[in-house]
Amino acid sequence: MKVPLLDVNAQNHPIGDELRAAFDGVLSTGRFIMGEEVEKFEVSTAQYLGVKHAVGVSSGTDAILLALMALGIGQGDEVICPSFTFFATAGCITRTGATPVFCDSHLDSYNIDFDSAESCVTERTKAIIPVHLFGQSADMDACQAFAKKHKLIVIEDTAQSMGARYGSQYCGSIGDFGTYSFFPSKNLGGLGDGGLLVTQDDALAETAIKMRNHGMHPRYYHQLVGGNFRLDALQAALLNVKFAHYADYISGRQSNAAYYLEQLQGLPGLVLPSVEQGNEHIWNQFTIRVLDGKRDAFKQTLLDDGIGCEIYYPVPMHQQQCFADVVNHEQDLCANTELLAKEVISIPVYPELKRAQQDIVIDAIRTFFK
Ligand SMILES: *Cc1c(COP(=O)(O)O)cnc(C)c1O
């Protein structure tokens, strides 16, 4: 039996009738841009996350870009983000004309290390983008203290962690802006691209809403330059269907992760992911560390056994060719990140994964580390 890293059909096919009905609904109205389905999605996600404003957008990447644009960040500004993240976090900073400055992450939680961010601050630093990586919150107390001390704006990149909690608060609802992605591999996976931008601030929401549609208000009058960052009505309708099942998708992942954590304890050379005190982890990825330079051999063994796995992320942002001229921090600042890039590997944890499939993964891992 093969075990894929992710199986989107296992999630979407059982609700195929609901999805087709949602498609038919949009088809019959003929309204494909904005409209009721987008509004419904914004109202239900805002309520769920406990935020005042939720703005449906075209992708998780565009949510970050729109947040930076709405804040007026651009040329001459610096924005701190972790080097250990998906490219979009850093790419959006560069696209505004600002400069990304990369800090390190913790070896146990894989999340941003705010101590390492101290040496990244200059008089040009305007914002920080903590990333809630793999389904777990960054240390938001440390983040808020850091931002307050240096008077920085906080944009939470919550692409992988919609529904994860830091204490009683949902990730993405704590900083100035929170951004989410509905790329099919995220916990709330759409049938295509989609994203969300949230904020508690009325003025920021108003600017973001204008900029989502070319800064146009009223029609054909532009006080601001925005873009086309709209969420499709069709995608919103499909997401409304999937959002109704979201609690099950999260608990499926949590139960699979708990089983791994119980079954894979105590193997020498294997480090299991840690859940920080007070966090509710939603396991977008179950990411382990393979020590002693054996990660690539381990990956090959899993692939040979028909087990899907992937390395998120093999190349840190501060080592990407496109950022070669912006890396301005001291050497070794991102030492943990460089180690993580060599040691991490993510194994199947998607909600529809069956126990029998998990047992295959567990057997393969136990055999390797025996
Ligand atoms: C997926 C992801 C994004 C980008 O989301 P898209 O919807 O694919 O544009 C941004 N940041 C992180 C951390 C992600 O994992």
Side-chain angles (χ1 to χ4, degrees):
M1 182 164 44
K2 288 210 172 201
V3 187
L5 181 61
L6 176 69
D7 183 354
V8 293
N9 287 344
Q11 183 163 98
N12 292 330
H13 288 182
I15 55 166
D17 288 343
E18 287 179 71
L19 293 169
R20 277 183 288 270
F23 176 90
D24 283 343
V26 177
L27 183 67
S28 71
T29 64
R31 174 121 203 226
F32 302 124
I33 304 295
M34 304 308 293
E36 262 177 38
E37 293 285 357
V38 173
E39 279 163 29
K40 181 181 169 196
F41 185 66
E42 291 174 340
V43 168
S44 42
T45 50
Q47 204 165 30
Y48 171 76
L49 295 167
V51 293
K52 248 174 121 178
H53 306 279
V55 183
V57 295
S58 31
S59 70
T61 304
D62 285 345
I64 301 168
L65 185 61
L66 180 55
L68 289 164
M69 287 172 71
L71 290 160
I73 286 170
Q75 193 117 45
D77 297 332
E78 292 176 1
V79 179
I80 300 170
C81 75
S83 180
F84 193 62
T85 181
F86 177 62
F87 176 79
T89 319
C92 290
I93 299 169
T94 301
R95 287 172 66 193
T96 65
T99 303
V101 181
F102 302 116
C103 69
D104 209 6
S105 292
H106 291 289
L107 288 175
D108 44 7
S109 67
Y110 313 127
N111 269 324
I112 179 168
D113 173 358
F114 292 97
D115 288 337
S116 82
E118 283 292 342
S119 62
C120 299
V121 179
T122 73
E123 68 281 1
R124 291 164 176 257
T125 312
K126 288 281 156 39
I128 183 160
I129 310 184
V131 181
H132 304 296
L133 206 65
F134 302 148
Q136 174 169 221
S137 183
D139 181 347
M140 291 309 291
D141 281 349
C143 180
Q144 295 305 81
F146 181 84
K148 193 167 173 203
K149 176 175 168 195
H150 299 291
K151 297 190 169 56
L152 305 180
I153 288 155
V154 175
I155 301 169
E156 300 177 65
D157 181 346
T158 321
Q160 302 181 4
S161 298
M162 181 176 188
R165 269 181 285 205
Y166 181 76
S168 61
Q169 288 173 291
Y170 280 103
C171 290
S173 71
I174 302 165
D176 297 277
F177 272 123
T179 68
Y180 303 83
S181 165
F182 309 116
F183 185 81
S185 69
K186 310 294 168 149
N187 281 29
L188 182 62
L191 279 70
D193 281 308
L196 191 76
L197 180 61
V198 306
T199 183
Q200 307 279 18
D201 185 300
D202 296 341
L204 284 179
E206 197 183 318
T207 306
I209 288 166
K210 278 183 197 155
M211 283 186 159
R212 167 173 67 175
N213 193 19
H214 295 295
M216 183 156 76
H217 187 79
R219 204 160 214 203
Y220 305 124
Y221 288 79
H222 304 260
Q223 300 127 27
L224 302 163
V225 176
N228 173 358
F229 300 128
R230 298 180 301 255
L231 176 66
D232 283 342
L234 262 178
Q235 196 58 246
L238 300 167
L239 284 167
N240 281 326
V241 170
K242 295 203 72 176
F243 191 58
H245 300 274
Y246 195 42
D248 292 339
Y249 301 156
I250 289 179
S251 63
R253 285 174 184 272
Q254 288 174 329
S255 133
N256 292 342
Y259 190 57
Y260 278 141
L261 289 173
E262 172 200 303
Q263 295 291 316
L264 293 173
Q265 273 176 52
L267 296 174
L270 172 73
V271 181
L272 293 171
S274 74
V275 181
E276 304 297 301
Q277 182 100 44
N279 279 357
E280 181 174 355
H281 200 317
I282 61 160
W283 304 101
N284 182 242
Q285 299 296 340
F286 192 92
T287 303
I288 58 181
R289 286 168 57 208
V290 179
L291 307 182
D292 311 317
K294 292 190 181 142
R295 193 268 315 270
D296 293 343
F298 174 74
K299 180 182 180 191
Q300 196 53 53
T301 304
L302 292 191
L303 293 177
D304 290 346
D305 288 352
I307 297 168
C309 54
E310 191 54 88
I311 293 158
Y312 304 114
Y313 296 96
V315 185
M317 289 309 118
H318 71 280
Q319 292 177 336
Q320 295 287 350
Q321 200 181 344
C322 65
F323 295 132
D325 10 324
V326 304
V327 174
N328 55 6
H329 57 60
E330 66 211 63
Q331 272 235 297
D332 297 333
L333 180 73
C334 295
N336 287 350
T337 297
E338 290 175 24
L339 193 62
L340 288 172
K342 294 191 176 81
E343 291 183 344
V344 291
I345 183 162
S346 301
I347 59 174
V349 72
Y350 63 92
E352 299 74 23
L353 188 68
K354 297 190 176 66
R355 271 293 133 93
Q357 292 176 299
Q358 256 194 305
D359 285 331
I360 292 172
V361 180
I362 289 161
D363 280 348
I365 295 175
R366 284 197 186 136
T367 307
F368 185 89
F369 288 99
K370 183 167 69 194

